[in-house]
Amino acid sequence: MRFITACAVVVASLGAFAPAGAVSGCPPPSMHDADAHQLRADHARHCRLDRMVSREVSKEGGLGRIAIKHGLAAVLQRDEGIVSLIDVKDPFGGLKVVGRYDDGAQESFDGDLAFSDDGKWLFYARQTHQFSQDGIHVLDVSDPANPSLAFYQPGGGAYRVAFYKNDTAQYVVLLDAVDGLVIYRFEPTTGALAQVFQDAEPALKVGGPASAGIEIDRHDPMTGKPLMYVTTGQTGLQIYDLSTPESASIVGEWPDVGLAEVEVSATKTRRTVWAATEYWFDKTLPPEIEVLDATKLDHVRKVDTYSLGLPADDLWRVEGMDRNRGGLFVAHSHAGVVVFDDDGTVKRSAAAPFEPNEGAGATGSVYSMDVRLRWPYVFVTDAATGRLDVLARPGHPGGFAHPHRRGCSESRAC
C-alpha cells in the first residue's frame, strides 16, 4: 500500500485535518490564512481518502471493533452485543451481512474480536454494563450464515482479545478489567477454553477499551521467539516471551506512560512499537502515539511522539490502529482516520479540525472506532452512525483503485 508514503492522510468527521508541518505533496492548510480555503482544497485533492463504499450495519447503535479473516469481517455492534458477519471480499460489489450472532442480552457496552487462524472460530471478548455476559464468547462461524455459541468463559469486562497458535497448541489471550492478563488454551474440536496462565500483578490494570492493547509477533526476527506486546493503562508496555504460554515471562517493558492500542514492526536489526496513550486512568493525557524503540528488550526507550494536536478529553481518543508499509493508520474518535508516515524518525501531526467543507472533499465518519487494512481497502467502523465505511484514495498513481481495474492484484499495487 504505497499511496501514503509521501504524505500524512486524514479523513475527518468535521473536515480534513492537515499536517502541522510541511509534508511533501500535502500543503498544510491553516485556519488563519487568507487562502485557507484553497489550501484545504489542495490538501483534500492530494491527501484525502474518499469513502468509496458505506454500509449501515446497525440502525439501533454504533459499531465497535472489527476483525477480518479470509474475506469475512466480524463487526461488533457495541451497544447491542451483536456480532455481524459481513462478506468483504469485493466491497465494490456490495458489503453483504451474511449472518449475525445475538444472544438477546441488551446490556452490552463494548468488547473485542479475534478470529482463529483457519477462520472457523471467532472469539468475542465482551463487556456489559452489569457484568451479566462479560468474558469470552467462543463462536463457531464455520457457517457464517448461522454463527453459534460453542463455549462461554465468564470474566470481568473483557477489553482486548488475541489468538495465538504454535506448533503444538492454540491459545487465546485476554486483557480483562478484573483478572488482568489471562491466557487460555483453546480446544478447536469443541471450542472450549482452559486457563493456563494469569499475570500476577497488577490485576486491575485495564479500565476500559482505550487502556489496553495486545500484539503478538509469532516469530521475532531478532530472537526467533514469539513475543507478545501488551499495553495497559497502569503498566505501560510489557513484552512477554510467549515460547511457552503456560509460563509467559516479561523480557522487556516501558512503564512510564499508560498506553492503549499497540502496533509493532520488527526486523533483524530493529523493533519499533507504536502505542496510543490511554485515558481511563489518566484523563489528562492528550491523544498521542508514543513511538518506542524496543530493539534492546532490556532497554526500551521513547524515540518520538505522533501528536494529533488535540486536547485531553474523554471524547477525543485514539480508538484503533493498524499498519503496513503504507504507514500507521489511526482511528481517532472524532478526527476520523489519520495516517502517519511509517518512518519512525519522521514525525507527522494533525491540527485541530476546521468547519466542514464538502467542496474541499471533507469526508469521513462521525465517531471512528476501529480501522483495519486489507489491501487495497481501509475498513473503518463508526460508533455513532452504525456504518462500516470502506476508504480509498482513487485516481492516484501507485494508490488505491478498484481491484478489478488497471491490473491490480494482491502482489501488484494499482
Short mmCIF file of all heavy atoms in Angstrom, two decimals, residues 134-170:
data_model
loop_
_atom_site.label_atom_id
_atom_site.label_comp_id
_atom_site.label_asym_id
_atom_site.label_seq_id
_atom_site.Cartn_x
_atom_site.Cartn_y
_atom_site.Cartn_z
N ASP A 134 -20.13 -10.77 30.64
CA ASP A 134 -18.72 -10.44 30.45
C ASP A 134 -17.88 -11.70 30.30
O ASP A 134 -18.22 -12.76 30.80
CB ASP A 134 -18.21 -9.63 31.64
CG ASP A 134 -18.73 -8.21 31.62
OD1 ASP A 134 -19.90 -8.02 31.26
OD2 ASP A 134 -17.97 -7.29 31.95
N GLY A 135 -16.76 -11.55 29.62
CA GLY A 135 -15.87 -12.67 29.40
C GLY A 135 -15.72 -12.97 27.92
O GLY A 135 -15.90 -12.09 27.08
N ILE A 136 -15.40 -14.22 27.58
CA ILE A 136 -15.16 -14.61 26.20
C ILE A 136 -16.29 -15.51 25.70
O ILE A 136 -16.61 -16.53 26.32
CB ILE A 136 -13.81 -15.36 26.05
CG1 ILE A 136 -12.65 -14.50 26.56
CG2 ILE A 136 -13.57 -15.72 24.59
CD1 ILE A 136 -11.31 -15.18 26.48
N HIS A 137 -16.86 -15.13 24.58
CA HIS A 137 -17.84 -15.96 23.90
C HIS A 137 -17.13 -16.58 22.69
O HIS A 137 -16.67 -15.86 21.80
CB HIS A 137 -19.03 -15.12 23.43
CG HIS A 137 -19.79 -14.47 24.53
ND1 HIS A 137 -21.13 -14.72 24.77
CD2 HIS A 137 -19.40 -13.59 25.49
CE1 HIS A 137 -21.52 -14.02 25.81
NE2 HIS A 137 -20.50 -13.33 26.26
N VAL A 138 -17.02 -17.89 22.68
CA VAL A 138 -16.37 -18.59 21.57
C VAL A 138 -17.46 -18.96 20.56
O VAL A 138 -18.36 -19.76 20.86
CB VAL A 138 -15.64 -19.85 22.05
CG1 VAL A 138 -14.97 -20.55 20.86
CG2 VAL A 138 -14.60 -19.49 23.12
N LEU A 139 -17.39 -18.39 19.38
CA LEU A 139 -18.42 -18.57 18.37
C LEU A 139 -17.93 -19.47 17.25
O LEU A 139 -16.82 -19.29 16.74
CB LEU A 139 -18.85 -17.23 17.79
CG LEU A 139 -19.26 -16.14 18.79
CD1 LEU A 139 -19.70 -14.89 18.05
CD2 LEU A 139 -20.35 -16.64 19.72
N ASP A 140 -18.74 -20.42 16.88
CA ASP A 140 -18.48 -21.26 15.71
C ASP A 140 -19.03 -20.52 14.49
O ASP A 140 -20.24 -20.35 14.35
CB ASP A 140 -19.17 -22.61 15.87
CG ASP A 140 -18.91 -23.55 14.69
OD1 ASP A 140 -18.42 -23.09 13.65
OD2 ASP A 140 -19.21 -24.75 14.82
N VAL A 141 -18.13 -20.04 13.63
CA VAL A 141 -18.55 -19.29 12.44
C VAL A 141 -18.17 -20.04 11.16
O VAL A 141 -17.99 -19.43 10.12
CB VAL A 141 -17.94 -17.87 12.44
CG1 VAL A 141 -18.50 -17.04 13.58
CG2 VAL A 141 -16.42 -17.92 12.50
N SER A 142 -18.02 -21.36 11.26
CA SER A 142 -17.70 -22.16 10.07
C SER A 142 -18.78 -22.01 9.02
O SER A 142 -18.52 -22.09 7.82
CB SER A 142 -17.51 -23.63 10.45
OG SER A 142 -18.65 -24.13 11.15
N ASP A 143 -20.03 -21.78 9.47
CA ASP A 143 -21.12 -21.40 8.58
C ASP A 143 -21.50 -19.98 8.96
O ASP A 143 -22.29 -19.76 9.89
CB ASP A 143 -22.31 -22.34 8.75
CG ASP A 143 -23.50 -21.94 7.88
OD1 ASP A 143 -23.34 -21.02 7.06
OD2 ASP A 143 -24.58 -22.54 8.03
N PRO A 144 -20.97 -18.97 8.26
CA PRO A 144 -21.19 -17.58 8.66
C PRO A 144 -22.66 -17.19 8.70
O PRO A 144 -23.04 -16.26 9.43
CB PRO A 144 -20.44 -16.77 7.60
CG PRO A 144 -19.42 -17.72 7.04
CD PRO A 144 -20.07 -19.07 7.08
N ALA A 145 -23.49 -17.88 7.94
CA ALA A 145 -24.91 -17.55 7.93
C ALA A 145 -25.61 -17.99 9.22
O ALA A 145 -26.69 -17.50 9.55
CB ALA A 145 -25.60 -18.19 6.73
N ASN A 146 -24.96 -18.92 9.94
CA ASN A 146 -25.56 -19.45 11.17
C ASN A 146 -24.52 -19.56 12.29
O ASN A 146 -24.20 -20.65 12.74
CB ASN A 146 -26.19 -20.82 10.90
CG ASN A 146 -27.32 -20.75 9.90
OD1 ASN A 146 -28.41 -20.28 10.21
ND2 ASN A 146 -27.05 -21.23 8.68
N PRO A 147 -23.97 -18.44 12.74
CA PRO A 147 -22.99 -18.50 13.83
C PRO A 147 -23.65 -18.98 15.12
O PRO A 147 -24.82 -18.68 15.37
CB PRO A 147 -22.52 -17.05 13.95
CG PRO A 147 -23.67 -16.24 13.44
CD PRO A 147 -24.28 -17.06 12.33
N SER A 148 -22.89 -19.72 15.92
CA SER A 148 -23.47 -20.26 17.15
C SER A 148 -22.46 -20.20 18.28
O SER A 148 -21.24 -20.23 18.06
CB SER A 148 -23.91 -21.72 16.94
OG SER A 148 -22.81 -22.54 16.58
N LEU A 149 -22.96 -20.12 19.50
CA LEU A 149 -22.12 -20.09 20.68
C LEU A 149 -21.68 -21.51 21.01
O LEU A 149 -22.50 -22.39 21.26
CB LEU A 149 -22.87 -19.49 21.86
CG LEU A 149 -22.11 -19.43 23.18
CD1 LEU A 149 -20.92 -18.48 23.08
CD2 LEU A 149 -23.04 -19.00 24.32
N ALA A 150 -20.35 -21.75 21.03
CA ALA A 150 -19.82 -23.06 21.35
C ALA A 150 -19.34 -23.15 22.79
O ALA A 150 -19.38 -24.22 23.40
CB ALA A 150 -18.66 -23.40 20.40
N PHE A 151 -18.90 -22.01 23.35
CA PHE A 151 -18.36 -22.04 24.71
C PHE A 151 -18.39 -20.62 25.26
O PHE A 151 -18.19 -19.65 24.54
CB PHE A 151 -16.92 -22.56 24.70
CG PHE A 151 -16.33 -22.79 26.07
CD1 PHE A 151 -16.61 -23.95 26.77
CD2 PHE A 151 -15.52 -21.84 26.66
CE1 PHE A 151 -16.08 -24.17 28.04
CE2 PHE A 151 -14.98 -22.04 27.92
CZ PHE A 151 -15.26 -23.21 28.61
N TYR A 152 -18.65 -20.53 26.56
CA TYR A 152 -18.65 -19.23 27.23
C TYR A 152 -17.76 -19.29 28.44
O TYR A 152 -17.93 -20.14 29.32
CB TYR A 152 -20.07 -18.83 27.63
CG TYR A 152 -20.13 -17.62 28.55
CD1 TYR A 152 -19.50 -16.43 28.19
CD2 TYR A 152 -20.82 -17.65 29.76
CE1 TYR A 152 -19.55 -15.32 29.02
CE2 TYR A 152 -20.90 -16.55 30.59
CZ TYR A 152 -20.25 -15.38 30.21
OH TYR A 152 -20.31 -14.28 31.03
N GLN A 153 -16.77 -18.39 28.51
CA GLN A 153 -15.86 -18.29 29.64
C GLN A 153 -16.16 -16.99 30.38
O GLN A 153 -15.83 -15.90 29.90
CB GLN A 153 -14.41 -18.29 29.17
CG GLN A 153 -13.39 -18.05 30.27
CD GLN A 153 -13.42 -19.14 31.33
OE1 GLN A 153 -13.35 -20.33 31.02
NE2 GLN A 153 -13.53 -18.75 32.59
N PRO A 154 -16.83 -17.05 31.53
CA PRO A 154 -17.16 -15.81 32.27
C PRO A 154 -15.90 -15.07 32.69
O PRO A 154 -14.83 -15.66 32.87
CB PRO A 154 -17.94 -16.33 33.49
CG PRO A 154 -18.41 -17.70 33.10
CD PRO A 154 -17.35 -18.25 32.21
N GLY A 155 -16.04 -13.78 32.85
CA GLY A 155 -14.91 -12.97 33.29
C GLY A 155 -15.37 -11.60 33.71
O GLY A 155 -16.57 -11.34 33.88
N GLY A 156 -14.41 -10.68 33.85
CA GLY A 156 -14.76 -9.29 34.11
C GLY A 156 -14.99 -8.60 32.78
O GLY A 156 -15.27 -9.24 31.76
N GLY A 157 -14.91 -7.28 32.76
CA GLY A 157 -15.03 -6.57 31.50
C GLY A 157 -13.90 -6.99 30.57
O GLY A 157 -12.72 -6.75 30.85
N ALA A 158 -14.23 -7.66 29.48
CA ALA A 158 -13.21 -8.19 28.56
C ALA A 158 -12.94 -7.16 27.47
O ALA A 158 -13.82 -6.89 26.65
CB ALA A 158 -13.69 -9.51 27.95
N TYR A 159 -11.76 -6.61 27.45
CA TYR A 159 -11.48 -5.45 26.61
C TYR A 159 -10.65 -5.75 25.37
O TYR A 159 -10.82 -5.10 24.35
CB TYR A 159 -10.79 -4.37 27.44
CG TYR A 159 -11.67 -3.80 28.51
CD1 TYR A 159 -11.34 -3.91 29.84
CD2 TYR A 159 -12.86 -3.15 28.18
CE1 TYR A 159 -12.16 -3.38 30.83
CE2 TYR A 159 -13.69 -2.63 29.15
CZ TYR A 159 -13.33 -2.75 30.49
OH TYR A 159 -14.16 -2.24 31.45
N ARG A 160 -9.72 -6.66 25.46
CA ARG A 160 -8.90 -6.99 24.30
C ARG A 160 -8.67 -8.49 24.26
O ARG A 160 -8.45 -9.14 25.29
CB ARG A 160 -7.55 -6.26 24.35
CG ARG A 160 -7.63 -4.78 24.01
CD ARG A 160 -8.02 -4.55 22.57
NE ARG A 160 -8.11 -3.14 22.22
CZ ARG A 160 -9.22 -2.43 22.24
NH1 ARG A 160 -10.36 -3.01 22.62
NH2 ARG A 160 -9.22 -1.16 21.88
N VAL A 161 -8.70 -9.05 23.04
CA VAL A 161 -8.51 -10.48 22.88
C VAL A 161 -7.63 -10.72 21.66
O VAL A 161 -7.67 -9.96 20.68
CB VAL A 161 -9.86 -11.21 22.73
CG1 VAL A 161 -10.59 -10.80 21.46
CG2 VAL A 161 -9.69 -12.72 22.81
N ALA A 162 -6.80 -11.76 21.72
CA ALA A 162 -5.92 -12.12 20.61
C ALA A 162 -5.80 -13.63 20.54
O ALA A 162 -5.95 -14.33 21.55
CB ALA A 162 -4.54 -11.49 20.78
N PHE A 163 -5.53 -14.13 19.35
CA PHE A 163 -5.38 -15.57 19.12
C PHE A 163 -3.93 -15.87 18.79
O PHE A 163 -3.27 -15.11 18.09
CB PHE A 163 -6.28 -16.02 17.96
CG PHE A 163 -6.14 -17.48 17.61
CD1 PHE A 163 -6.79 -18.45 18.36
CD2 PHE A 163 -5.35 -17.87 16.54
CE1 PHE A 163 -6.66 -19.79 18.03
CE2 PHE A 163 -5.22 -19.21 16.21
CZ PHE A 163 -5.87 -20.17 16.96
N TYR A 164 -3.44 -17.01 19.32
CA TYR A 164 -2.06 -17.42 19.06
C TYR A 164 -2.00 -18.92 18.87
O TYR A 164 -2.63 -19.68 19.61
CB TYR A 164 -1.14 -17.02 20.22
CG TYR A 164 0.25 -17.60 20.12
CD1 TYR A 164 1.09 -17.25 19.08
CD2 TYR A 164 0.71 -18.52 21.06
CE1 TYR A 164 2.36 -17.79 18.97
CE2 TYR A 164 1.97 -19.05 20.97
CZ TYR A 164 2.79 -18.70 19.92
OH TYR A 164 4.05 -19.24 19.82
N LYS A 165 -1.25 -19.34 17.86
CA LYS A 165 -1.07 -20.76 17.58
C LYS A 165 0.41 -21.06 17.38
O LYS A 165 1.10 -20.37 16.63
CB LYS A 165 -1.85 -21.14 16.31
CG LYS A 165 -1.72 -22.60 15.90
CD LYS A 165 -2.51 -22.89 14.63
CE LYS A 165 -2.35 -24.34 14.19
NZ LYS A 165 -3.10 -24.61 12.92
N ASN A 166 0.89 -22.10 18.08
CA ASN A 166 2.26 -22.56 17.84
C ASN A 166 2.22 -23.97 17.26
O ASN A 166 1.18 -24.42 16.78
CB ASN A 166 3.10 -22.48 19.13
CG ASN A 166 2.53 -23.34 20.25
OD1 ASN A 166 1.78 -24.29 20.02
ND2 ASN A 166 2.91 -23.01 21.49
N ASP A 167 3.32 -24.67 17.29
CA ASP A 167 3.38 -25.98 16.64
C ASP A 167 2.57 -27.05 17.36
O ASP A 167 2.24 -28.08 16.77
CB ASP A 167 4.84 -26.44 16.54
CG ASP A 167 5.66 -25.58 15.60
OD1 ASP A 167 5.05 -24.94 14.72
OD2 ASP A 167 6.90 -25.52 15.77
N THR A 168 2.25 -26.81 18.62
CA THR A 168 1.61 -27.87 19.41
C THR A 168 0.21 -27.54 19.91
O THR A 168 -0.55 -28.45 20.24
CB THR A 168 2.49 -28.23 20.62
OG1 THR A 168 2.66 -27.06 21.45
CG2 THR A 168 3.86 -28.72 20.16
N ALA A 169 -0.12 -26.25 20.00
CA ALA A 169 -1.41 -25.90 20.61
C ALA A 169 -1.88 -24.54 20.14
O ALA A 169 -1.17 -23.81 19.45
CB ALA A 169 -1.28 -25.92 22.14
N GLN A 170 -3.12 -24.21 20.54
CA GLN A 170 -3.73 -22.93 20.21
C GLN A 170 -4.14 -22.23 21.50
O GLN A 170 -4.54 -22.88 22.47
CB GLN A 170 -4.94 -23.12 19.29
CG GLN A 170 -4.60 -23.82 17.98
CD GLN A 170 -5.80 -24.01 17.08
OE1 GLN A 170 -6.67 -23.13 17.01
NE2 GLN A 170 -5.85 -25.13 16.38
#
